[in-house]
Amino acid sequence: MTVLIKLGLLAAIVVLPAPRSANAQSTAPLTKTILAIGAHAGDMELTAGAVLIKQHKLGDRIVILQMTLGEGGNPRLAPSLYATQKHREALAADSVIGAETIFAPYRDGEIPNDEAVRRYVADVIRTVKPAYIITHWSHSIHKDHSNTSLIVQDAILLASLEGVVTQHPAHRGVRGVLYTDNWEDADAFSPYVYVGVNDEMAQWREAVTKYEFVGGHISSFKYLDYYDALATMRGAISGKGRAIAFDIDAFGKRRVLDSLP
């Protein structure tokens, strides 16, 4: 089901998965919302998709905000045509994950880090009301990734302030931000949170292969092999079999104890 919601001066398309049965809703109630914000369609599915699948199984509501479609990524296809393809692929992949999809109105390679974009994302946060946000690490070789990360950090603050007026009331319920383990965002990335995903990898593979680029038919980079192997490596380090790793902000990396345990 597709609905159009108004976010400030801009509109976004939100695609909702088919509703679960009454029995499913009663046995697995939604407990919290997780919002994943990716610079390009496919970014969050590749890096965090297995965790999103796991959390959806546990009853959480999953929302993915695609800042751009990544329509400039196919050298053999015009951006307008590839945008249509990526839109279709995103809906298919996110349906497998169990996620709602919001498409932001920005262009591949041109995400501006300005007040208008920060307010747009802040209003998405106010609309979705997430407990956790997953997005890019800020140190990236891709400007869209870096800008998205910085925009999200500022937007969380704006979303929480009563004095910042948008179309929706303030939301102060964001408990934490997790940064994804992306090969383009590796500079200074230090895995801190590991989530075991042994039982989710097959569904993850089904989801991400909805994107043509993941299968190696557009780029020579072997996305599927890389992220599959990365889950194995992170799982070996964490003792979880297969795992997805995230970093967090430096100020969150502290433990306060009365004495050594």
Side-chain angles (χ1 to χ4, degrees):
M1 179 172 63
T2 304
V3 297
L4 184 67
I5 64 173
K6 197 71 173 179
L7 297 169
L9 299 178
L10 301 171
I13 301 296
V14 181
V15 181
L16 305 178
R20 292 180 292 178
S21 67
N23 288 339
Q25 290 177 350
S26 64
T27 57
L30 296 176
T31 56
K32 60 183 173 292
T33 296
I34 299 172
L35 173 62
I37 303 177
H40 314 101
D43 284 342
M44 289 297 106
E45 293 90 335
L46 274 169
T47 57
V51 172
L52 298 178
I53 289 166
K54 183 169 192 172
Q55 296 305 132
H56 184 258
K57 286 180 180 179
L58 294 173
D60 292 337
R61 177 189 178 205
I62 308 299
V63 183
I64 300 177
L65 171 60
Q66 315 281 14
M67 293 295 288
T68 80
L69 288 166
E71 71 278 4
N74 189 338
R76 296 184 296 276
L77 202 61
S80 60
L81 296 177
Y82 194 42
T84 300
Q85 177 182 328
K86 287 291 295 288
H87 186 279
R88 181 176 64 251
E89 292 171 342
L91 297 183
D94 295 352
S95 177
V96 174
I97 289 172
E100 305 168 27
T101 306
I102 302 175
F103 295 100
Y106 304 108
R107 293 166 58 92
D108 188 10
E110 300 179 23
I111 298 176
N113 182 8
D114 61 24
E115 191 66 15
V117 182
R118 289 191 285 272
R119 283 179 173 264
Y120 173 86
V121 175
D123 210 31
V124 171
I125 293 170
R126 288 177 168 187
T127 304
V128 173
K129 297 179 173 60
Y132 292 96
I133 293 178
I134 298 174
T135 193
H136 296 276
W137 181 241
S138 61
H139 300 284
S140 179
I141 62 174
H142 199 308
K143 67 180 288 288
D144 281 349
H145 292 199
S146 297
N147 281 352
T148 296
S149 183
L150 296 172
I151 288 163
V152 169
Q153 293 172 47
D154 288 340
I156 292 170
L157 174 62
L158 293 178
S160 72
L161 299 176
E162 297 286 350
V164 176
V165 178
T166 66
Q167 295 296 309
H168 299 87
H171 173 66
R172 296 189 175 187
V174 177
R175 303 177 199 169
V177 182
L178 297 169
Y179 300 108
T180 57
D181 195 359
N182 188 310
W183 74 273
E184 294 176 282
D185 310 342
D187 184 21
F189 181 90
S190 180
Y192 188 77
V193 176
Y194 294 78
V195 181
V197 291
N198 275 330
D199 297 334
E200 288 71 41
M201 289 303 292
Q203 190 173 341
W204 169 80
R205 179 181 287 263
E206 179 187 354
V208 298
T209 52
K210 300 298 183 183
Y211 287 103
E212 183 184 8
F213 81 89
V214 171
H217 304 299
I218 296 174
S219 169
S220 61
F221 186 84
K222 296 184 177 181
Y223 287 93
L224 189 63
D225 291 347
Y226 176 84
Y227 286 105
D228 188 70
L230 187 63
T232 299
M233 185 267 286
R234 298 303 188 200
I237 291 173
S238 62
K240 285 292 186 180
R242 309 294 293 282
I244 304 301
F246 301 94
D247 204 348
I248 65 171
D249 290 304
F251 63 77
K253 297 179 179 179
R254 63 177 180 266
R255 295 180 65 189
V256 179
L257 306 172
D258 291 327
S259 63
L260 292 179

